[in-house]
Amino acid sequence: MDTNAEYNSVISYCKDLFLKKTKDYGTAWRIMRPSSITDQIYIKAQRIRTLEVKKTSKVGESILDEYVGIVNYCVIAMLQLELSENSTDTLDYKTTEKLYNEKVDETRDLMFAKNHDYGEAWREMRISSLTDLILMKLHRVKQIEDNEGQTLVSEGLKANYQDMLNYAVFALIKLGLADQK
């Protein structure tokens, strides 16, 4: 098991989809407020949890598709936190790709630091636990947003989005996406 290769394979898949959608839609996501992005991630995580419990889907998107969506919405959330509201709503393709890579690289570095300390404990976790961790982080993010970004001792929004992105990548690795490439 090569965590770096698996992580990169999953990110490559997510990024490819993100950039194809960028070609189709441009950067329409720039219009979204951070709280709306949080809600989009919540919808995806809640749908995963519902599918895990009910074991059937009446819509075509799979659990795997929803985790990919979480990865990409987490990148969007981190970008929106960094980009000024006054900056343009339209980012060119190359800039978008560069910014995507920057956010993923920062998040991957965080994962490796935590992975060192936790000894890849995620490999022994159930996928449903990863879903629950994402939902817990979403509740934290909503509370931080409701507190207008103010925290007393807690990590900020970016750290929570990074953790959610990493949990989603772990789930995608466990679901075999890294092996499909």
Side-chain angles (χ1 to χ4, degrees):
M1 292 180 286
D2 180 352
T3 301
N4 188 50
E6 291 171 315
Y7 193 102
N8 289 341
S9 179
V10 166
I11 289 299
S12 175
Y13 180 90
C14 296
K15 178 181 160 185
D16 181 61
L17 180 62
F18 183 88
L19 293 176
K20 285 178 180 173
K21 287 188 175 190
T22 298
K23 285 195 179 211
D24 285 350
Y25 307 128
T27 53
W29 50 265
R30 284 286 294 131
I31 197 83
M32 295 179 78
R33 290 173 279 197
S35 59
S36 296
I37 299 165
T38 300
D39 287 344
Q40 284 300 118
I41 298 168
Y42 178 79
I43 289 166
K44 294 194 169 298
Q46 188 59 49
R47 181 162 186 276
I48 292 168
R49 186 171 179 160
T50 300
L51 291 174
E52 289 170 345
V53 171
K54 292 185 178 180
K55 309 277 189 231
T56 59
S57 170
K58 293 189 176 188
V59 180
E61 291 182 339
S62 68
I63 288 175
L64 190 141
D65 295 327
E66 298 295 1
Y67 276 119
V68 169
I70 289 172
V71 168
N72 286 336
Y73 272 115
C74 285
V75 172
I76 288 170
M78 288 184 280
L79 290 173
Q80 288 292 74
L81 289 175
E82 186 175 282
L83 296 169
S84 165
E85 286 183 34
N86 298 329
S87 67
T88 181
D89 286 344
T90 305
L91 299 173
D92 65 75
Y93 183 87
K94 284 293 181 194
T95 300
T96 303
E97 181 177 24
K98 177 182 167 282
L99 293 171
Y100 187 102
N101 289 337
E102 287 174 6
K103 293 300 153 222
V104 167
D105 289 347
E106 290 172 16
T107 303
R108 183 186 303 107
D109 291 347
L110 174 67
M111 181 274 298
F112 277 114
K114 287 185 175 186
N115 225 16
H116 174 269
D117 291 353
Y118 290 97
E120 294 205 331
W122 64 270
R123 290 201 182 268
E124 303 302 319
M125 293 174 64
R126 295 173 185 94
I127 294 173
S128 60
S129 294
L130 294 167
T131 305
D132 290 349
L133 286 169
I134 291 169
L135 285 164
M136 178 194 65
K137 291 282 185 177
L138 284 161
H139 284 284
R140 288 180 180 182
V141 166
K142 286 181 176 190
Q143 186 63 51
I144 293 169
E145 289 172 345
D146 290 347
N147 293 341
E148 297 179 1
Q150 300 301 308
T151 61
L152 298 175
V153 295
S154 304
E155 298 175 314
L157 293 171
K158 181 179 177 182
N160 282 284
Y161 287 124
Q162 287 177 310
D163 285 345
M164 287 186 278
L165 188 156
N166 282 329
Y167 295 149
V169 170
F170 294 158
L172 288 165
I173 290 169
K174 291 179 80 64
L175 288 167
L177 181 62
D179 301 329
Q180 294 177 19
K181 299 232 40 161

